[in-house]
């Protein structure tokens, strides 16, 4: 049986602008041993080529086939739900590209979907227009609900904040397509061509990576190089199959391989 990995990036491979120690060696091992893997990121801003370029700055050389973003999951989902559907988008390149590639037409009036992603290019006027569209019957999709960083100088507001703003203004709850939504957890596995029993998730966040993996029946590895703190793990009703300090400490073959 083949075995493969879905790997989160922020807090696993890099932290801010710094490579996490050993992450480059970890990825090289996967490449050298033909172990299937994809980076699975909730950030919908970048196209897969832009993610490839970002990783290359950390000395990690991969291809588009190794990247799976919430933008890709969202495009695929909407394309399946509504072939030739229409969307009004608050978001940037990665999301716009993916929707287009999946046959969704981007419109300014009367859309079937309002789709929210990360971005800094949209205005409150555009948000209000989106609110009006949702109140008039458009379906509200958000690419993820990652919490706001709550740190001064951070490079984005946090999509949870913009999602909450629109939910408050419309009284409607967003449908989430990114991690931990099964929409993305399942389509990322299919993107890699793996079966459930062949899939292991590696991530630093209990609420997204690990919860998403546990709910799908995948194996899960929590790394402590990012957001999660070991002392808080007992507060969760679910637990990862393995906990390591960082990807540098993962030994192959994994004990369930
Ligand atoms: Mg992360």
């Amino acid at each position: 049986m083949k075995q493969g990995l879905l790997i989160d990036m922020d807090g696993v491979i890099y932290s801010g602008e710094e490579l996490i120690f050993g992450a480059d060696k970890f990825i090289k091992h996967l490449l050298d041993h033909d172990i299937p893997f994809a980076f699975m990121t909730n950030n919908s801003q970048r196209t897969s080529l832009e993610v490839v370029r970002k990783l290359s700055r950390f000395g990690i050389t991969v291809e588009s086939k190794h990247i799976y973003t919430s933008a890709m999951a969202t495009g695929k989902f909407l394309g399946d739900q509504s072939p030739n559907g229409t969307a009004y988008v608050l978001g940037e390149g990665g999301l716009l590209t993916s929707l287009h590639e999946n046959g969704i037409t981007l419109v300014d009036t009367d859309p079937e979907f309002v789709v929210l992603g990360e971005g800094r290019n949209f205005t409150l006027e555009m948000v209000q227009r989106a609110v009006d569209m949702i109140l008039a019957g458009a379906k509200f999709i958000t690419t993820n609900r990652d919490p706001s960083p709550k740190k001064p100088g951070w490079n984005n507001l946090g999509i949870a904040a913009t999602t909450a703003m629109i939910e408050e203004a419309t009284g409607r709850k967003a449908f989430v397509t990114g991690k931990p939504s099964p929409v993305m957890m399942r389509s990322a596995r299919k993107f890699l061509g793996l079966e459930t029993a062949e899939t292991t998730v590696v991530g630093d966040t209990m609420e997204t990576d690990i919860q998403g993996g546990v709910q799908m029946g995948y194996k899960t590895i929590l790394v402590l190089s990012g957001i999660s703190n070991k002392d808080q793990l007992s507060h969760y009703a679910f637990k990862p199959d393995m906990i390591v300090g960082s990807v540098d400490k993962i030994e192959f073959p994994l004990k369930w391989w």
Side-chain angles (χ1 to χ4, degrees), residues 99-121:
L99 291 170
H100 178 72
E101 285 174 356
N102 284 280
I104 302 294
T105 305
L106 308 180
V107 297
D108 276 331
T109 52
D110 201 21
E112 186 176 358
F113 302 100
V114 166
V115 187
L116 173 67
E118 281 90 352
R120 289 186 291 179
N121 292 348

Side-chain angles (χ1 to χ4, degrees), residues 35-52:
I35 297 171
F37 71 94
F39 292 106
M40 181 172 62
T41 173
N42 257 358
N43 192 315
S44 62
Q45 223 161 342
R46 298 187 194 96
T47 64
S48 48
L49 268 180
E50 287 165 343
V51 177
V52 165

Side-chain angles (χ1 to χ4, degrees), residues 184-218:
M184 181 167 182
M185 299 304 298
R186 185 184 294 114
S187 62
R189 168 178 69 71
K190 288 189 168 173
F191 177 75
L192 265 188
L194 297 175
E195 300 297 328
T196 294
E198 300 168 336
T199 307
T200 297
V201 176
V202 183
D204 72 318
T205 307
M206 287 292 281
E207 289 84 353
T208 54
D209 310 305
I210 305 304
Q211 182 177 325
V214 167
Q215 286 174 337
M216 296 304 292
Y218 305 158

Side-chain angles (χ1 to χ4, degrees), residues 8-12 179 203-205 209:
D8 178 40
M9 297 202 305
D10 206 352
V12 177
K179 297 181 288 185
D204 72 318
T205 307
D209 310 305

Side-chain angles (χ1 to χ4, degrees), residues 74 78 86-90 95 99 107 110-117 126-143 166 170 174-175:
T74 304
L78 293 192
T86 59
Y88 180 69
V89 180
L90 302 174
L95 185 55
L99 291 170
V107 297
D110 201 21
E112 186 176 358
F113 302 100
V114 166
V115 187
L116 173 67
M126 291 167 71
V127 171
Q128 184 164 4
R129 188 185 292 186
V131 165
D132 284 341
M133 289 166 172
I134 294 165
L135 289 172
K139 297 159 186 142
F140 180 27
I141 310 284
T142 188
T143 60
I166 296 174
T170 58
F175 182 81

Side-chain angles (χ1 to χ4, degrees), residues 55-117:
L55 287 165
S56 74
R57 294 209 310 266
F58 295 104
I60 293 172
T61 307
V62 292
E63 301 167 45
S64 285
K65 68 174 185 187
H66 294 120
I67 311 296
Y68 198 73
T69 71
S70 68
M72 295 164 70
T74 304
K76 166 126 191 27
F77 176 71
L78 293 192
D80 289 347
Q81 283 280 304
S82 184
N84 309 314
T86 59
Y88 180 69
V89 180
L90 302 174
E92 294 188 12
L95 185 55
L96 298 167
T97 302
S98 172
L99 291 170
H100 178 72
E101 285 174 356
N102 284 280
I104 302 294
T105 305
L106 308 180
V107 297
D108 276 331
T109 52
D110 201 21
E112 186 176 358
F113 302 100
V114 166
V115 187
L116 173 67

